[in-house]
Amino acid sequence: MKNLAGFSLDNPNFVVKQLFPKDAPALQKLYEQCHDFAILTDGVAFSPTAAKEEFNTVPQEKIPEDNYVFGLIDRQNTLVGMLAAYKEYPDKHTWWLGMIMLAPKYRNKGLGTDFYRAFERWLLSQGIEQISLCAIKANFSALEFWFKMGFNITRTIPTKHFGIKNHKVYVFSRTTLIKA
């Protein structure tokens, strides 16, 4: 990969920056705003240390340095969105998108699409061929979003435990097709 520093959005009202453990307090505030997501997925609120844990939680084959967390920052220098992804997972041609989340007041305005597309363009410019992710069946808006982004379901996990809930999980993949 050529440029691991990050990517930018074609929107002058927002900047994207890579987040690091020192940014955990701002990320925790975003998590607390996104209480609805935690309840939907886990049945309980995000833990008080969820943001700190975000930087160190990686698949067994990876190390924390393979975990990229990007923040979407508004003009007031407030973190209003995040995207977390694992570099070269499960193979060197794929990145795994662990989560994309926007503060509630920024949802359903096209910003999530812009954020994701900027990330995909950046990956394409780095030579990455595929993006994979998973979404739970109960998250209808996420399923709709990923289909709209051109993802296809590649497999289904019948039941996976999240917090105090069990969910059917769909694994999605997409070949990077948009132009850098």
Side-chain angles (χ1 to χ4, degrees):
M1 297 204 52
K2 304 170 223 157
N3 170 16
L4 291 176
F7 58 97
S8 61
L9 219 60
D10 293 332
N11 183 328
N13 295 314
F14 300 93
V15 296
V16 176
K17 75 171 196 167
Q18 187 174 356
L19 301 179
F20 296 96
K22 68 178 179 53
D23 300 306
L27 184 57
Q28 188 67 36
K29 286 180 185 177
L30 176 63
Y31 280 8
E32 290 166 6
Q33 291 177 55
C34 298
H35 179 78
D36 59 329
F37 177 76
I39 297 302
L40 175 66
T41 58
D42 292 1
V44 295
F46 285 111
S47 78
T49 59
K52 184 178 176 185
E53 294 162 8
E54 184 68 49
F55 296 98
N56 295 312
T57 303
V58 295
Q60 187 174 0
E61 305 83 17
K62 303 306 284 178
I63 59 174
E65 290 76 20
D66 294 330
N67 183 11
Y68 284 75
V69 180
F70 295 100
L72 185 62
I73 315 293
D74 70 8
R75 284 182 178 233
Q76 288 74 42
N77 205 33
T78 302
L79 181 66
V80 299
M82 65 84 70
L83 185 154
Y86 303 122
K87 176 179 92 169
E88 299 175 351
Y89 181 78
D91 59 58
K92 72 180 211 163
H93 302 288
T94 305
W95 274 51
W96 184 272
L97 181 58
M99 182 173 8
I100 184 170
M101 189 166 52
L102 294 176
K105 79 178 201 175
Y106 292 95
R107 296 178 191 162
N108 301 309
K109 297 178 181 180
L111 190 57
T113 297
D114 293 346
F115 194 22
Y116 168 74
R117 290 287 190 215
F119 174 68
E120 184 175 290
R121 279 192 303 274
W122 175 69
L123 289 181
L124 183 64
S125 75
Q126 305 302 308
I128 297 303
E129 299 169 6
Q130 184 165 299
I131 303 168
S132 295
L133 60 96
C134 68
I136 60 171
K137 181 180 179 183
N139 193 343
F140 304 116
S141 59
L143 298 174
E144 181 181 356
F145 179 80
W146 295 120
F147 283 127
K148 183 177 117 186
M149 294 296 102
F151 280 79
N152 295 305
I153 295 173
T154 57
R155 67 185 167 101
T156 302
I157 301 168
T159 304
K160 184 168 167 90
H161 189 72
F162 294 86
I164 62 170
K165 289 187 167 186
N166 290 312
H167 293 285
K168 184 176 193 174
V169 177
Y170 297 112
V171 178
F172 288 82
S173 287
R174 171 174 163 73
T175 302
T176 52
L177 297 174
I178 62 175
K179 300 287 184 224

